Amino acid sequence: SVYGDRQEDNEFLEDAQHAYEQVGNIWTKESKPVEWARVRNNLGSVYASLGDRQTDPQLWQRAMSAYNDALSVWTEADQPLDWARAQNNLGTVLHSLGLYGKDQKQLKRSAAAYQAALRQWTLKAAPYDYAVANNNLGNALTDLAKYSKSQKDWEAGLAAYDEALKVWRIERQPLQWAAVQNNLGAGYATIGRNETGTESFEKAVAADELCLT
């Protein structure tokens, strides 16, 4: 059953949590800092997954703390790709906290973390990661815009989606491509409601029609 599968997955995640916590007690920040940072990053992902399944902000808070621990060791200069991955992970859990608490500050912090990751996850150096981070950034900014009512936030979010589409093409990643087109359509439709012209509505219709091709 679906419930049984989810229960089994939760047990697997809880086993992983305990294992990482035990390793973290052996590989300390002082004795093995790089390995400790990797364990803290992995443990953060376990906390975040459990938080998503249980909609538990305390688990998201624990994930945020674990990612920040990793970032206290991994630096942009010395471990740029690990640093970028932890920033992206941090952005994701901040996004969850922001949506749960309808907290614009957390959503802004989420967007800032994704923007930090994109300093290293460039289109040329890491194209798939570039698309992932830009899609995440688009989600954070458009969700922020729903609360801030800021045209600037909407436009920045849609621009991030456009960047993701430089990598995600219909012939290679059709599901991701369609999801981004759907997000673009929703965003342009929202902007269009606040405009006197029809340009944004036309873009919304075009994006929605592309989803149906």
Side-chain angles (χ1 to χ4, degrees):
S1 69
V2 172
Y3 174 79
D5 292 343
R6 287 185 61 82
Q7 186 67 29
E8 185 176 326
D9 288 345
N10 283 343
E11 290 174 359
F12 176 81
L13 286 167
E14 288 167 359
D15 287 343
Q17 172 190 334
H18 296 147
Y20 284 131
E21 287 172 344
Q22 288 177 348
V23 172
N25 291 329
I26 298 169
W27 286 351
T28 66
K29 185 177 182 180
E30 291 72 26
S31 65
K32 288 185 176 290
V34 174
E35 291 84 352
W36 178 82
R38 186 165 292 112
V39 169
R40 293 300 294 169
N41 181 69
N42 292 344
L43 183 57
S45 296
V46 172
Y47 287 145
S49 294
L50 286 168
D52 291 344
R53 287 170 180 271
Q54 300 170 26
T55 317
D56 186 338
Q58 291 186 336
L59 284 166
W60 290 327
Q61 290 281 0
R62 292 170 76 179
M64 180 176 66
S65 177
Y67 292 139
N68 280 322
D69 282 345
L71 288 167
S72 74
V73 174
W74 286 340
T75 67
E76 187 173 8
D78 293 334
Q79 294 92 11
L81 297 182
D82 286 333
W83 178 88
R85 185 173 299 105
Q87 290 285 359
N88 182 72
N89 291 343
L90 179 62
T92 300
V93 76
L94 286 167
H95 190 185
S96 296
L97 284 165
L99 288 178
Y100 181 85
K102 299 180 180 179
D103 187 335
Q104 292 186 48
K105 182 179 178 181
Q106 297 285 49
L107 291 170
K108 288 178 182 178
R109 291 177 64 198
S110 171
Y114 293 135
Q115 288 164 339
L118 284 164
R119 296 209 299 263
Q120 295 299 327
W121 283 356
T122 64
L123 179 59
K124 183 176 181 180
Y128 188 83
D129 291 330
Y130 178 83
V132 168
N134 268 296
N135 182 62
N136 290 343
L137 177 60
N139 290 340
L141 288 170
T142 53
D143 283 334
L144 172 62
K146 294 170 188 174
Y147 299 110
S148 69
K149 310 298 182 185
S150 166
Q151 182 88 352
K152 183 179 179 182
D153 290 335
W154 277 114
E155 291 173 353
L158 299 182
Y161 288 139
D162 282 333
E163 289 300 310
L165 289 175
K166 290 181 179 179
V167 179
W168 286 344
R169 304 297 181 121
I170 189 171
E171 62 273 13
R172 293 200 302 265
Q173 293 92 12
L175 295 180
Q176 292 97 323
W177 178 89
V180 175
Q181 291 290 353
N182 182 66
N183 290 339
L184 281 170
Y188 280 123
T190 301
I191 290 175
R193 295 187 191 102
N194 299 317
E195 291 181 343
T196 55
T198 61
E199 181 181 357
S200 291
F201 277 125
E202 290 170 1
K203 289 181 179 179
V205 170
D208 289 340
E209 288 178 343
L210 283 171
C211 289
L212 300 174
T213 59

